[in-house]
Amino acid sequence: MRLGIWKDRVMKRLTLLLACCLVPAATGAQDFSAIVDAAQSSATLALDASMSNSGHLIGDYDPTNNPAGTQTRPGVFGGSGNNPIPVSVEIESTAVHEDVAAGLFELDVQYPALQLTLSGLALDLLLAGSVPMAVEASATYDTFYTINPGFIYPGGTPVSLPLGDAAQITSITVTQSASAVGDLLSTPDADVFAFELQVPVELAFVLRISLPDTDPLDVPMDALPLSLPLSGTLDRSQPDNLVVDLVVEPESFSGSMPVEGLQLPPVPLELPTLTADTASVILHLQADSLPFNGSLGLVLRATASSDGLPDALFENGFE
């Protein structure tokens, strides 16, 4: 049994080597620059993120500019003045993105050694627009009451906050962090080789936080390390180019971004009462942590040429 398997592997290896030697262009190592065809390529990204925040809310009362504003005070009676009320806020957000993918990469094809090296993979998964994120937020605080209008807000139970469309993703990129080497494998077509690679990359995206009545805040989420199990084929039947197909089945990832100390813009809120009146408060928050999980999948088709990349690509930011 073992001898039969060994003979089969040897014959496949010899067949592939002979096929390589019969092609004049495949007599040695060749370097290729590949451009991803956005019209034939796609990416899927699912993301679930939660942001824990600590801070306080306080009435919008100001003795000079808003003397009739709301005042906040801890407890159910007593005290004086406008006091900050400690609060913690959990923000849950989800996004699903399916779109085209564009980018480039380099190939070093070693035909005699039946080996391939992929490097310099750089992908843009959000060519235009943004990805909206569904947001749910809840606040927990101790009991407090307000003046103008007068109302008691019992503490201890999470309360939903009306944050609306508070988050979106404005940039998604994938950048290879080290070269990946794999073997070329024979297929029934002598001009087509298959391969599998484990490609180390960094996933980066920009989260835009748009809280009500505040200026948008862009939070870069950089350098999330991933190892993508990539399978592909290399077709050399065209006279001057290689056609390369790459596939990454949806790969799960998780992590936490270092956002400790991130100060969010003050958020004005109108808290409901039992009447038509609302208590006007301002929410001040500082981000404590941003854990997340998600998945990334890719289907890429690229044309690879030994003539290098067009200058126009570098002018458009692929550097």
Side-chain angles (χ1 to χ4, degrees):
M1 177 66 73
R2 292 184 178 178
L3 181 60
I5 295 175
W6 178 80
K7 286 183 177 180
D8 184 59
R9 289 179 177 174
V10 170
M11 288 304 297
K12 287 184 178 179
R13 196 76 170 179
L14 289 176
T15 300
L16 183 56
L17 180 59
L18 179 61
C20 291
C21 292
L22 290 177
V23 180
T27 57
Q30 289 184 280
D31 293 326
F32 295 89
S33 298
I35 303 172
V36 175
D37 183 355
Q40 302 185 72
S41 303
S42 62
T44 58
L45 175 70
L47 184 66
D48 295 317
S50 59
M51 181 181 288
S52 297
N53 308 271
S54 59
H56 67 271
L57 60 82
I58 190 170
D60 67 350
Y61 166 84
D62 182 274
T64 302
N65 300 318
N66 192 23
T70 298
Q71 298 183 42
T72 51
R73 299 174 185 176
V76 294
F77 61 88
S80 62
N82 192 24
N83 297 268
I85 307 301
V87 63
S88 61
V89 175
E90 295 292 328
I91 300 175
E92 302 285 341
S93 54
T94 60
V96 176
H97 173 62
E98 297 182 13
D99 204 350
V100 300
L104 49 83
F105 55 89
E106 301 286 333
L107 288 179
D108 177 22
V109 182
Q110 300 279 347
Y111 285 108
L114 303 179
Q115 202 171 71
L116 171 143
T117 301
L118 185 146
S119 60
L121 178 67
L123 300 175
D124 186 343
L125 309 186
L126 183 56
L127 298 182
S130 60
V131 181
M133 301 192 73
V135 176
E136 295 183 358
S138 61
T140 304
Y141 45 79
D142 292 332
T143 298
F144 71 96
Y145 72 102
T146 57
I147 304 295
N148 286 339
F151 196 73
I152 297 175
Y153 293 89
T157 302
V159 176
S160 296
L161 294 179
L163 295 186
D165 299 327
Q168 56 186 314
I169 300 173
T170 59
S171 172
I172 309 171
T173 59
V174 173
T175 306
Q176 189 171 356
S177 54
S179 297
V181 180
D183 293 328
L184 291 171
L185 305 174
S186 61
T187 72
D189 188 334
D191 284 324
V192 178
F193 305 111
F195 56 89
E196 294 184 353
L197 301 171
Q198 201 70 28
V199 182
V201 301
E202 292 181 346
L203 172 66
F205 52 95
V206 176
L207 178 64
R208 174 165 294 175
I209 301 174
S210 303
L211 298 174
D213 299 320
T214 67
D215 293 330
L217 175 65
D218 287 334
V219 183
M221 304 296 177
D222 295 334
L224 171 64
L226 301 177
S227 182
L228 299 181
L230 182 150
S231 59
T233 59
L234 181 154
D235 184 343
R236 62 178 184 184
S237 59
Q238 295 187 11
D240 300 319
N241 299 311
L242 301 177
V243 176
V244 184
D245 288 305
L246 306 175
V247 175
V248 175
E249 297 295 339
E251 179 73 5
S252 298
F253 60 84
S254 62
S256 181
M257 290 297 177
V259 295
E260 292 84 355
L262 173 66
Q263 195 75 36
L264 301 179
V267 182
L269 295 175
E270 297 295 325
L271 302 182
T273 66
L274 294 180
T275 69
D277 295 330
T278 58
S280 301
V281 301
I282 301 174
L283 182 64
H284 298 264
L285 294 177
Q286 179 174 289
D288 297 324
S289 64
L290 181 59
F292 57 85
N293 59 75
S295 64
L296 173 67
L298 300 170
V299 176
L300 308 176
R301 167 157 285 197
T303 300
S305 169
S306 59
D307 297 330
L309 296 172
D311 292 338
L313 281 180
F314 297 94
E315 294 171 1
N316 290 332
F318 289 104
E319 298 182 302

